[in-house]
Amino acid sequence: MSWRLVTARLNARFRTLRLHRRQYRSDLTTGGRCTMAAEVEHVRALVKLIDQPILIVGHSSGAVLALEALASMPGAFAGAVLYEPPCVIGPPLGGTALARAQAAMDAGRPGRALAIFLRDIVQAPASAAWMSAAAVPLFPRMRRLAQHQLDDCAAIDEVGIELEAYARIDVPVVLLGGERSPAHLGERLDALERVMPNTERVRLRRQGHAATSLAPDRVAEVIAGLGDKVMRKHSR
């Protein structure tokens, strides 16, 4: 999910950095998919270069990466905005659906693989899953994206249940969700809210899982609100 529209609304007030996640880097030849642990090391390297308070923001699997970074680097971040991280809170995120999607991909059917991923894992409406699948043959980028999405889901499943580690994250965290998002994403936010000690829950009315593209002003407003609070605290 691109953050370009959101960061464009924040650049006048904050220094913003958009991380191109290694899981989605087609130019890297690492010999396979990237683990969350490897991506955390990418974040760690970036943190070392920035000599000021950092607010980490992530959407979907990127928010799982943010959670892992927060847990792995206590004291490195001043706060976080987590937009619907599909963290594991019980059964695996992908499970048998991921196996079916990967089988379709291996059989040369990336559209079918993406449809399974969106319908059965993301739990997007069947119509949206079908339209995305239909577009795959037309756009090479979407064919590549399908495998990246499956690899990302597998990486989340490998992380497993980490609620105990997330409960030790004590910086201010906004748990952001959409009113129209799939129910399981709200349930994962509920689980995080129960265990994390310093959270604020924000729900975007009439939005779902794609507000970074469909309502960037509102997402930027949430981030700026926490950013202002964090900057005031660190300027005292």
Side-chain angles (χ1 to χ4, degrees), residues 115-156:
I116 293 170
F117 172 79
L118 292 173
R119 186 191 64 227
D120 298 340
I121 298 175
V122 177
Q123 297 181 27
S127 57
W130 181 86
M131 285 188 291
S132 296
V136 167
L138 305 176
F139 301 99
R141 180 179 176 275
M142 288 193 70
R143 288 198 293 271
R144 294 191 298 270
L145 175 65
Q147 184 61 65
H148 289 310
Q149 294 268 255
L150 302 189
D151 290 343
D152 210 3
C153 183
I156 292 172

Side-chain angles (χ1 to χ4, degrees), residues 6-178:
V6 176
T7 54
R9 289 155 172 80
L10 295 169
N11 287 336
R13 296 169 58 189
F14 303 96
R15 178 190 181 192
T16 63
L17 298 172
R18 286 186 287 137
L19 180 68
H20 189 173
R21 289 181 54 202
R22 293 191 177 196
Q23 189 71 265
Y24 291 90
R25 291 275 300 276
S26 299
D27 59 317
L28 296 179
T29 54
T30 58
R33 59 183 171 81
C34 189
T35 65
M36 278 287 171
E39 291 205 274
V40 167
E41 291 309 305
H42 193 189
V43 175
R44 191 187 306 276
L46 188 61
V47 165
K48 290 180 179 178
L49 297 175
I50 304 172
D51 187 25
Q52 56 184 302
I54 300 171
L55 183 71
I56 188 169
V57 180
H59 167 267
S60 198
S61 62
V64 177
L65 173 58
L67 276 167
E68 289 293 295
L70 286 158
S72 299
M73 290 175 264
F77 302 99
V81 177
L82 307 177
Y83 183 177
E84 295 181 337
C87 53
V88 179
I89 60 173
L93 175 66
T96 58
L98 179 58
R100 287 189 287 107
Q102 188 60 60
M105 182 66 70
D106 294 342
R109 302 180 65 190
R112 168 74 173 159
L114 187 60
I116 293 170
F117 172 79
L118 292 173
R119 186 191 64 227
D120 298 340
I121 298 175
V122 177
Q123 297 181 27
S127 57
W130 181 86
M131 285 188 291
S132 296
V136 167
L138 305 176
F139 301 99
R141 180 179 176 275
M142 288 193 70
R143 288 198 293 271
R144 294 191 298 270
L145 175 65
Q147 184 61 65
H148 289 310
Q149 294 268 255
L150 302 189
D151 290 343
D152 210 3
C153 183
I156 292 172
D157 281 348
E158 285 180 357
V159 169
I161 301 174
E162 288 285 355
L163 292 175
E164 186 174 332
Y166 302 156
R168 295 192 289 271
I169 298 169
D170 60 1
V171 296
V173 174
V174 173
L175 300 174
L176 181 61

